[in-house]
Amino acid sequence: MSDEDRNDGGETSISRRRALRVIGAIPVVGALGLTQQQQSQGQQQPKQTHEGPNQPATSTRQPPPSQPRRAFFTRAEQRTMRVLADDIIPRDARSGSASESGAVEFIDFNLSVEETSNDTRTAWRGGLRWLDLESKKRFNVAYAGAKQAQRNQILDDISKPADSVSAELRPGAAFFARARDMVAAGFFSSPTGWRDLQYLGNTFVPKWNGCPDAALQKLGVTYDLMNQRTQSNG
């Protein structure tokens, strides 16, 4: 035993240097022992490669898009809401309908979040229920099952300010005003809606030629008039 392994009291101790040598040799001994055991059993070590355990899929097909789940509307309410939304903004030669744009899902989500008051949710449920009752009273069928002309008859009667219709129709008029605003918000904030508006945002304009003459005439203004106003205000 070397002197560095013996302390002043004669007791054996392991120096820091020797301890590090012993610790550093442990993995090597373990690996050698494992290798000898494998060789004695006729086993081979696995081949080291750079390949991942799971190879990438060869198919490039995309999974079908999942349908959004209802968050607020019941199934019956959603059906009524889809028909109503398309009565407000129907499909035409220019663009798809409100329901095709995702407006109903937009409204459903907004009614489901915690920021929406219970009074607002109650007003929506009550309004959709009012439509069904009014349609059954007039045509003996719920709103979503009524014919287009029948639904238009109801909407023509309630698409006015609530204070300008009879007391019997005021709940329907108040609901329709709310529904029309939300359907429009959902439609025109969607790709279908802003394409319908021919919105050209985020598009590079290499040269600005000013406002088109047709638009200036419609607004009743000219560049000369605007320049005069700017100079007078300056």
Side-chain angles (χ1 to χ4, degrees):
M1 181 176 298
S2 63
D3 293 338
E4 66 177 0
D5 293 338
R6 188 179 300 276
N7 59 16
D8 295 338
E11 297 178 354
T12 302
S13 63
I14 299 177
S15 67
R16 182 184 304 172
R17 181 180 302 175
R18 180 172 176 80
L20 292 176
R21 286 202 302 266
V22 173
I23 294 173
I26 290 176
V28 178
V29 173
L32 290 175
L34 179 61
T35 302
Q36 293 172 356
Q37 182 180 5
Q38 289 178 334
Q39 290 176 351
S40 63
Q41 296 177 357
Q43 298 178 354
Q44 295 182 353
Q45 293 185 5
K47 181 181 179 180
Q48 298 296 323
T49 67
H50 296 288
E51 298 176 356
N54 298 320
Q55 298 303 311
T58 57
S59 175
T60 58
R61 294 179 56 186
Q62 296 293 325
S66 60
Q67 296 297 323
R69 296 182 178 179
R70 288 177 287 106
F72 171 78
F73 292 131
T74 65
R75 191 179 300 276
E77 289 171 343
Q78 187 181 51
R79 181 168 180 259
T80 303
M81 192 63 231
R82 286 189 176 280
V83 175
L84 175 61
D86 288 349
D87 286 342
I88 295 173
I89 303 181
R91 165 182 277 274
D92 57 17
R94 187 184 182 103
S95 65
S97 66
S99 67
E100 293 172 328
S101 74
V104 176
E105 288 76 16
F106 169 84
I107 298 172
D108 184 63
F109 171 77
N110 277 274
L111 290 174
S112 70
V113 297
E114 61 181 7
E115 290 82 3
T116 300
S117 67
N118 289 329
D119 289 343
T120 299
R121 297 189 182 100
T122 301
W124 275 89
R125 292 204 189 282
L128 291 171
R129 180 62 176 163
W130 186 94
L131 275 182
D132 281 338
L133 292 176
E134 185 68 16
S135 181
K136 288 179 179 179
K137 183 174 69 175
R138 296 190 187 193
F139 313 115
N140 200 32
V141 64
Y143 182 84
K147 297 179 180 179
Q148 181 73 63
Q150 295 172 333
R151 300 197 305 270
N152 288 348
Q153 185 182 123
I154 297 175
L155 298 185
D156 287 343
D157 290 342
I158 62 176
S159 57
K160 305 171 185 177
D163 56 0
S164 64
V165 299
S166 63
E168 183 181 7
L169 296 177
R170 283 176 187 170
F175 167 72
F176 182 76
R178 183 193 300 266
R180 178 175 52 195
D181 289 347
M182 287 293 287
V183 168
F187 178 80
F188 287 111
S189 62
S190 72
T192 301
W194 52 257
R195 290 192 187 102
D196 183 89
L197 293 174
Q198 299 182 352
Y199 174 68
L200 300 179
N202 297 327
T203 302
F204 179 71
V205 180
K207 183 180 180 181
W208 170 246
N209 296 319
C211 185
D213 291 337
L216 291 173
Q217 294 175 7
K218 183 177 181 179
L219 295 173
V221 297
T222 63
Y223 278 108
D224 293 337
L225 176 60
M226 298 305 296
N227 289 334
Q228 293 176 5
R229 291 179 178 177
T230 301
Q231 293 175 359
S232 62
N233 291 334

